Each structure stands twice: as C-alpha cells, then as structure tokens.
Amino acid sequence: MKRRERLKQEKEARILDAAAAVFSGKGYHGATIRDIAARADVADGTIYNYFDNKFDLLVAILTRVSQSEQLGAELTQALDQDARDFFVAAFRDRLARIEAGEEMLKAVLPQVFVNEELRRQFYQQYVRRIAGLLEPYVQAQVDRGRIAPVNVPLVTRLVQSAFVGLLVMRILGDEALRAGWDDVPELMATMVFDGLAAAAGAPGAQEAAPARATVEG
Amino acid sequence: MKRRERLKQEKEARILDAAAAVFSGKGYHGATIRDIAARADVADGTIYNYFDNKFDLLVAILTRVSQSEQLGAELTQALDQDARDFFVAAFRDRLARIEAGEEMLKAVLPQVFVNEELRRQFYQQYVRRIAGLLEPYVQAQVDRGRIAPVNVPLVTRLVQSAFVGLLVMRILGDEALRAGWDDVPELMATMVFDGLAAAAGAPGAQEAAPARATVEG
Amino acid sequence: MKRRERLKQEKEARILDAAAAVFSGKGYHGATIRDIAARADVADGTIYNYFDNKFDLLVAILTRVSQSEQLGAELTQALDQDARDFFVAAFRDRLARIEAGEEMLKAVLPQVFVNEELRRQFYQQYVRRIAGLLEPYVQAQVDRGRIAPVNVPLVTRLVQSAFVGLLVMRILGDEALRAGWDDVPELMATMVFDGLAAAAGAPGAQEAAPARATVEG
Amino acid sequence: MKRRERLKQEKEARILDAAAAVFSGKGYHGATIRDIAARADVADGTIYNYFDNKFDLLVAILTRVSQSEQLGAELTQALDQDARDFFVAAFRDRLARIEAGEEMLKAVLPQVFVNEELRRQFYQQYVRRIAGLLEPYVQAQVDRGRIAPVNVPLVTRLVQSAFVGLLVMRILGDEALRAGWDDVPELMATMVFDGLAAAAGAPGAQEAAPARATVEG
DNA sequence: TATGAATGAGGGTTCATTCAT
DNA sequence: TATGAATGAACCCTCATTCAT
C-alpha cells in the first residue's frame, strides 16, 4: 500500500520532469503529450491518470518548484548581518537556484504572458510572496538607518525586476552576461548600495544622492 | 499608382496592428489567422498576400517597432550633459516608449523564449543594438572620471536587465510597480549612481564603494 | 494480443480498399481524406495512425498489388511448354489479374505521370521487374531456336507496352476492346508468333490462323 | 482590327503553350494559374479573358493538337502500297509526331483517367477517330487477301493499344525502349505481319526473319 | 482589354483527450 | 491502473476565380 503510494508519486514526478524538459525545449505548444509520455516512458493515456490536462502539467511544474523555497527564515536571521554582505550572498544563492530552475522558467514563463490564471499564480508565488518577505526586511534596514529612506515597495520591485531581467537576458543568451555571471551579485550590490558615481571628491555623489533619494513620493 | 501603393502599405499596417493586438491578447498560438483577418477587416487569404505565414507576422511586428528608435544621436549629444540627469530622461523616455510597445512585447516575448530565430532577432534588435550604443557612452563617462571604473559591458547588461525586468513585472501586473511607475527612473538613477546605503556619516559607503567597484575582474 | 494485431491489419486493409476505391472514382486530387475515412468507416485522424500522409496511401496501394505476383516460378516451369500456348495462358492470366486491379490502376496511374517517386516505383515494380523475368525466358526460347533471333529486350518491351496499352484503352472505355476482351490473348499470340500476313501459299495463314482466330466468337 | 485579332490569337496560343508546359511539368493539379500566367507573361486575370476556367485550358490543349492530323488522306492513297512498308512508315511518322506531342500527353493523359468529359473527348479524338480511319483500311487489306481474315476491329485496337502503350512506357522512362526507339516501327511490323515464331524447318524464318530482325541493331 | 489584389471555400494534417481492453 | 488506438474539432494555408481600376 505504502509502496503503491510511493510508486505513484515517483511516476508523477517522472511525468512532471518529462513535461518540464519537453516544454522547456519546444515550448508549451510545441510539446505534445506524446513527446512527454515518451520521455516519461509511459503511455499517452497514463498521463491523464495523474493530471487533468496539458495545462495542468504547467501549473504543477510551477507549483512544485516554488515549494522548496525558504527565504523567510534566512531573512529574519539576517537582520543583524551586514546588509551588503547578505545581499550578495542571497542574490548569489537565488541566481544559482534559478539557474537550476532555468528549465522550469523556460517552460512556464512564455505561457505566463499568455494565460491569465498562470500569470496570477506565477505572480503570486514568485513576485508577491518574495516581495512580502523582502519588504519587511528592507523596511527594517531603513528603520535602523542602514538604508536611505526610500520608497520601500518600489525599491523591492526594482531589485526583483533586475533579478527577473537577468534571467530573461540569460535565456536570451547574452554573452557578456554569461561571461560575467559570477560577478553579477557583487556588481549588483555595488550599484544598489554604493552607486556607481565616482565618489572621489565628487560632491554630487555625497550631497545630491540622499537629497534625491527622498523623491520617492 | 501612388495611391495603390499607399493603400497597400496602409493595409499591411492594419494587418500588423491586428496581429499585434490579437497575439497580445490571446498569445501567438491562441490567435488564429481568422481572428487577425477579422480584426483587420480583410479575408483570411489577404493576409498571405502581405506575409508569408503566421510566424512572419510575428517577425514583422518585432521589426516594425525597433525601427523608430534613434538612441544613437541622443547619446553622442549627451556626453557633456550631467550623466544622472540624462539617465533619468532617457530611462523615462524608453519606458514611455515601451509602454506604447507593451502590446508588441506581450505578443512577441513569449515566442522569443520558444523560437530560436525570433530569439536571435529580438536579442539583436533589442539587446545587442542598445548595448552597442550604451557601452561607448558608459565607457566615455568612466574615462572622464564621472563613473567609477567598473566592468562596463556587465554594468550595461545589468541596466538593460533591470529595464527588461521592469517590463516583465509590469506585464505581470504588479500593483506596486504600476503605482510608482513614474518614480522608477528617478529611483533607478539613485540606485545606479548614488546607491542606497545611508551615506550620512557612514564611512563605509564612501570608502568601500570604489574599492568594491573594481569587482569587474 | 494476436487479435489486436489482426484487427489492425484488417483496418489497414479497409482503409487501403477505401482509398483505392475513392482515388479510382474521383482521382487522387479529387479524393479527400474525409471521403476515404467515411468510406472506410473510420475517423479522419485514424488514417494517419496507419499512413503518414495522403500520398503514402497511393504508394501503399501500388505496393500491395505487386506483392501477390509470382510470375517467376511459372516462367521457369514453362520453358519446355509450347511457347505460344504458354503465352496465351499467361497473358490471359495477367489480364484477368489486372482486371481485378483495374481500380488500383485507375487510382495510381494518373499520379504516376505526375510524380517522380511514384513513377520510379511503378516502373520498378511493374515494368522492370516483369521485364527481368521475361527477358531470360524469351532469350531461352531464342536460344532453343523457337523464336527468331530478335532484339530480346526490345521485344519484351513491345509486349509489355501492348499489355499496358490494352489496360489504358480499357480504362478509356473502348467498346470494341471490351467486346473482344476474351479473344485478346489469342489474337495477341497470333500476331506475336505467327504474324497477320496472309502468307502466300502458306497454309498457316489460311488454316491455322483462321482456326485460331475463330476463337473470338 | 485584323491586327487586333491576330494579337489575340497569338496571346491565346502563348497561354496554351504555357499551360501545356506547366501541366506537363507539374501535373494538372500541381500547376497553378499563377504559374501559367507567369510563364505566358500575362496577369492571372488575363487568362480568364481567353478561357473559362482551368479545366478549359486542358480541353483546349487536347483539341488543338488533334487538329493537325490528316491520316485519312494517307490511308486511302496507301491502299495499293505494300502494307508492311506503309505500316512502318506510318508508325514511324506517328511516333515522331507524338514525340513532339509528348508534352501535351503528359499534361492531358493523367486527367483523362480522372475526368469523364475529358476521357470521352480524348477517346473520341485519339482512339475512335483513328480507329474509324484504320479499320476500313485493314478491312480492305483483308479483302484483298493481304492480311489474314482476322477480327478487324479488335486487331485495330490491339495495334492502337500497342501504340498507346509505347508512349506510356516512354513516359515512364524505360531505358531499353528509349535506346531502341528507332527500331520500334520495324520490329513492330515484323511482329504484326510475320510473327516471331521461328518457322519450323521453314527457311523463311531463318532467312527472312533475320533479314528483318537485323533491325535490332 | 489587362491587371493583380481580394476573396473564402476547402483540405490535409495535428494532437489533446477519451475509452475499450 | 496502464495502454494506445480512435476520435474529430480546429487551423494554417492554397489557389481558382472575381472585379474594381
């Protein structure tokens, strides 16, 4: 009985793996149930014993990935670390993680733009949820005076956007990005925390910056 | 004679408009030629007098937009302006522009992830081309000592990534982002140029920053 | 298990029968997959579980017929029979056989003129193969002094041509031919072996020929 | 006015030539009106000023060819010639003629099998008409005792069938036939008039036959 | 009369889904 | 539960024909 149960889960996983691989390679519409069945080494019909329909596979893929995340704990523990160091570490971690999930992303993302339901779900699980974790952290840093008093939600979105953009650019196959991939977290941190303005003796960077940062409205 | 020619161009534009709208609304695969034809108010077959096939419509949509750009001139003229001001203005302009092209993006982007050819074309016209314009500008600013000596190509990519990410997030329908949309360029500039670190009396920001900016490798 | 297999073969045959009938009736292009499916009492899509495409049906029809042939054995056994008698018997047999295959011929022949691949295949299976069997036989008869020392390959082709021509004429619906159809083998033999010339004083022409020619009635 | 008329006829001829060429090359269905128009160097629509529809082109091609024939006169004049010699000459002439018309044949023949109307017309113009000319001639030869008293209509059909078959085989691209093409009329005559049987002990077979059989080359 | 853009019916083919075994 | 043959709706595209210019 238990074994029965486990076998079932294994097969479900195998199907999902196959689906992710095939979707990622040929796109959602380019992939056929037969492709997936063949890759999962089951019959076409078998898939329908585990999932309602093709679209369901997509949703399942999306959901499965977002479960292994536990950013929350990290963040609360990180409140007292150096913000910049933590940013670098966390950003690097996320990038590595998503690198592994790049297949999923290539499978799901295109349909995210197309399908309302999927979009909501993706947004909820990948943007909203993360934002809900990040914002309090950023706010706390602001409160502690470590970060300038910015528009916290917007800043969070900007960082998230940059993150998403990086993945998109990576999928697009940009060479410069791929070459400098390992330096991205550091450089990102430099930009976010310190800015690129040549500070040395440049009054602009030291005076104007804070003044402007209040713009947030 | 001329009239004939003009009518043809108008009809081609009408078809392309219709295609962009329908693709954007239902996705490339969800859209049928009949949908597009109906929206363009032509017969199905007529579309094939103007475009080779459905995919060709997508490519045409992509190409059409990227033609009205002339960032190049702006950039060379901007070399002597204040970099930050220019950044804000340019970023705002691009955002506005792409807002108008959001429909195009929703139409094309999903397929970009799926189709090799489209991906190359999109990358070429939207990433590489822009990068080719931006990099010399950034490099010049570095040379003039206005920007810290960073890894120029990578920084360029990061900014582009942020830009792309913003569009994706916008398409995802993020509320916070939509609400603060008009402040994005300013905030982005603040991050990129000045950093968010609470500089006031914090030596870390002033000293470490340049040191870290050499990350470029 | 076996039953499954048998059912599949039966269905394949049913589809092929339907295809031959419809092609024969409306021509290859006039026939639609729906026609064929309806006649075979299957769904449109089912046909594609058995054949790659419409053209494939044509090839399959062609191939199926040419398999039941075993002229080879007959010919080697016939070397010692009377050539003329054998000719009559064989010709009659072929005609009867092809009469049954007339539907196939009407289905396939038109496309043979049009399609390179089909032409090669038809030629190979129906002309070349038969020629390869006939020529040695004719040559052997020549060697034995029973047939005049003629250009063997060419004679073979002439006989084959006559055979093909008869079928074409039959398809064209010639009345005279249809009326005298059963006498064709005899008359053909008379022409080929004895000639029609009223041999001056040659009893053959006056006695034998009429004797044989009266078969017609 | 006259010039107007002539120009029209020229254009009609040009269109028909183009149609024959394209039909012959790609088959009736494979050929498009656009193909034909392009080859005739006119606009698509222009064709419809000269012919009712695509099928009409086929009929026109068929009709045009059969007009230049005047076998009738020859035949009546030939009644007193040696039948065998005349046969060879006439057969050779027809073969040469049809060689020129091979294009037409490849264009029309496939559809002949498919289309009732075209079949009737083809049969009428190419089989029935010729038969109507040949039969009286053959009958006359029989009456004069030059040809054995055979079933005249059937013999006529057999010869016609052989002729048709030769053309089909030629279109099929048979090498042996093409190589011996020029010898065909002689060999055909040998078969039809003298037969191939090596007349037992008949010096004729050993002397005459070889003499004629040397055709083989 | 010539043009060629517009038309739209029609057909081959695909593929998600079902269901008898 | 697994199978995979059967289903048939749906879609892209072609092309003969029309007709406004």
Side-chain angles (χ1 to χ4, degrees), chain A residues 123 174 191-194 196-197, chain B residues 123 174 191-194 196-197:
Chain A
Y123 175 66
D174 184 76
M191 280 175 61
V192 170
F193 285 89
D194 314 312
L196 300 179
Chain B
Y123 175 66
D174 184 76
M191 280 175 59
V192 170
F193 285 90
D194 313 313
L196 300 178

Side-chain angles (χ1 to χ4, degrees), chain D residues 186-206:
Chain D
E186 258 294 331
L187 186 52
M188 200 76 192
T190 297
M191 280 174 58
V192 170
F193 285 91
D194 313 313
L196 300 178
Q206 281 149 354

Side-chain angles (χ1 to χ4, degrees), chain C residues 29 110 112-113 123 145-146 148-149 151 155 157 161 165 169 171-172 174 176 180 187 191-198 216, chain D residues 29 110 112-113 123 127 145-146 148 151 154-155 157 161 165 169 171-172 174 180 187 191-198 216:
Chain C
H29 284 283
V112 162
F113 293 110
Y123 175 66
R146 296 182 184 164
N151 180 335
V155 158
R157 287 327 184 279
S161 294
M169 292 279 282
I171 291 177
L172 288 180
D174 184 76
L187 185 51
M191 279 175 61
V192 170
F193 284 90
D194 313 314
L196 301 177
E216 354 154 359
Chain D
H29 284 283
V112 161
F113 293 108
Y123 175 66
V127 178
R146 293 183 187 163
N151 179 335
L154 197 55
V155 157
R157 284 332 182 277
S161 295
M169 292 278 282
I171 291 178
L172 288 181
D174 184 77
L187 186 52
M191 280 174 58
V192 170
F193 285 91
D194 313 313
L196 300 178
E216 349 151 4

